[in-house]
Amino acid sequence: MPLIIISGLPCSGKTTLANKLKEKFEKKMRVEVINIEKLGLNRNKCHFDLKSEIQFRGSFKSTVNRALSGNTLVIADGINGIKGFRYELYCSARELGTTFCLLYCTTSPDLVRDWNNTREEEDKYSSEILDDLIQKFEKPDTENYWDRPLIPIDPNSELDLDQIEKIAVQGKKLRARQATKIHIKRKSNILFEQGKIAQDVLDQIFEVMKTAQSGETFNVICFYTQTKKKFMIKKKASLPKLLRVKKQFTKTIENLNISQPDEYFTLFVDYCQKNI
Ligand SMILES: Nc1ncnc2c1ncn2[C@@H]1O[C@H](COP(=O)(O)OP(=O)(O)OP(=O)(O)O)[C@@H](O)[C@H]1O
């Protein structure tokens, strides 16, 4: 059944939008909204560090997949700010041959900060996590086929629910030929594997940095299966800085078609060495 992905900065009105969609569509079909509340998780804990973000995305995606296989309109209500992750969700819809669309809440960073301040204390993002998520957010872009059809939503304008229904529910179903299916599955596995490798490297660097003194040069040894890379880092870096390096690296290699994990590992470690 149809998949609607909602994406937008933290606290940009995504759940408010999801609830409006649910209210409209549940008169006609079963609707399931998947979000942090539904998973029973805490927004600051889910985004505390790379490891918790990856775990969160894993459970978000598997819950979406489970719901999609039923006879239900699924609304994947999350920041969904990582291009590769949106791609994975798109692939799930494509494999099932459902209709699909991406709604992007365009609320500005200044406004989301204001809205976050008006939240109850326990619902607020910490300002550190909010800034980090804003900085890391990869805007949906119609240049990516998996970000199409894309409907920008300004939460302060009137919502055209009929337009959304036309595209998301009555629109064209995604179709994958067998060969494409295998290719997508493979591509999605590669992205997943690369995400894990990058996380391991960052964890290993961060572990060494925790005990190092500022201004000190220190040695890092990173492993990926049998491959070992030893290198020196000249200064300490914060976790947000490490995440920025990973993001820049992902952008740099996106057109290089790197499919071998060893090659990815070596390139990423070299890049970290030069850019931290
Ligand atoms: N159009 C709006 N005008 C003013 N405030 C709004 C608007 N939409 C949402 N808000 C406020 O912003 C806050 C966040 O809204 P909402 O939960 O919908 O955002 P979200 O993007 O789903 O947040 P999260 O990233 O935590 O999932 C709420 O306190 C809500 O009242």
Side-chain angles (χ1 to χ4, degrees):
M1 278 294 274
L3 172 64
I4 296 180
I5 299 183
I6 301 184
S7 175
L9 294 178
C11 207
S12 57
K14 302 180 298 296
T15 300
T16 308
L17 168 65
N19 291 338
K20 286 183 191 160
L21 297 174
K22 185 170 183 337
E23 198 183 321
K24 173 172 172 79
F25 293 128
E26 72 187 353
K27 293 180 187 123
K28 304 180 182 177
M29 62 188 97
R30 249 181 72 199
V31 180
E32 196 165 340
V33 177
I34 316 287
N35 55 25
I36 280 195
E37 286 84 4
K38 161 97 187 177
L39 297 174
L41 300 170
N42 171 289
R43 44 177 68 74
N44 285 309
K45 283 188 187 150
C46 287
H47 299 290
F48 177 71
D49 57 15
L50 195 60
K51 209 167 178 170
S52 28
E53 287 202 315
I54 288 174
Q55 272 170 358
F56 164 62
R57 284 200 293 273
S59 39
F60 186 83
K61 186 179 157 194
S62 51
T63 311
V64 168
N65 284 346
R66 260 198 311 278
L68 263 183
S69 55
N71 193 24
T72 308
L73 164 68
V74 179
I75 303 176
D77 162 26
I79 297 172
N80 297 320
I82 294 184
K83 195 163 83 171
F85 186 60
R86 289 197 299 271
Y87 172 79
E88 290 178 31
L89 294 175
Y90 168 90
C91 289
S92 301
R94 190 159 165 167
E95 275 176 44
L96 289 167
T98 69
T99 50
F100 165 85
C101 90
L102 174 63
L103 307 182
Y104 168 36
C105 287
T106 57
T107 318
S108 70
D110 285 346
L111 201 50
V112 306
R113 287 193 180 94
D114 286 351
W115 289 356
N116 189 51
N117 286 334
T118 64
R119 271 184 157 167
E120 297 289 328
E121 215 46 51
E122 68 270 18
D123 293 331
K124 278 183 188 169
Y125 288 95
S126 74
S127 57
E128 211 180 25
I129 287 179
L130 187 67
D131 287 343
D132 181 46
L133 290 170
I134 291 175
Q135 185 262 321
K136 284 191 304 200
F137 185 76
E138 297 175 316
K139 264 192 203 167
D141 180 350
T142 50
E143 287 289 307
N144 308 321
Y145 63 83
W146 58 91
D147 281 345
R148 296 195 299 256
L150 173 66
I151 308 178
I153 306 282
D154 173 356
N156 286 324
S157 302
E158 201 168 325
L159 191 59
D160 187 348
L161 287 164
D162 291 337
Q163 182 209 14
I164 297 172
E165 179 171 7
K166 238 178 237 161
I167 296 174
V169 182
Q170 298 156 2
K172 236 166 91 183
K173 289 184 174 160
L174 297 176
R175 269 192 34 219
R177 283 177 293 128
Q178 201 56 32
T180 327
K181 276 188 190 173
I182 291 163
H183 173 73
I184 289 170
K185 186 97 191 155
R186 197 169 159 258
K187 175 91 185 159
S188 141
N189 287 345
I190 290 170
L191 287 175
F192 180 67
E193 183 66 21
Q194 291 180 345
K196 278 199 312 197
I197 294 171
Q199 183 206 334
D200 279 345
V201 170
L202 293 186
D203 284 349
Q204 290 171 69
I205 295 175
F206 199 63
E207 213 36 55
V208 178
M209 281 187 175
K210 273 202 310 212
T211 52
Q213 302 295 316
S214 275
E216 182 188 359
T217 298
F218 48 94
N219 290 313
V220 184
I221 302 173
C222 289
F223 290 95
Y224 173 71
T225 58
Q226 306 298 313
T227 314
K228 175 176 167 185
K229 292 271 288 177
K230 193 172 168 185
F231 59 100
M232 260 172 39
I233 290 187
K234 295 193 198 81
K235 56 177 189 282
K236 281 187 91 161
S238 61
L239 189 55
K241 162 80 183 168
L242 295 182
L243 293 174
R244 273 200 300 281
V245 169
K246 179 182 163 233
K247 190 173 156 190
Q248 287 155 1
F249 175 72
T250 307
K251 276 215 169 101
T252 311
I253 61 147
E254 73 184 344
N255 294 320
L256 295 182
N257 208 9
I258 295 163
S259 57
Q260 294 308 316
D262 275 333
E263 186 189 5
Y264 177 90
F265 169 77
T266 307
L267 287 172
F268 184 55
V269 169
D270 289 346
Y271 191 86
C272 287
Q273 181 176 15
K274 287 189 193 112
N275 291 282
I276 290 172

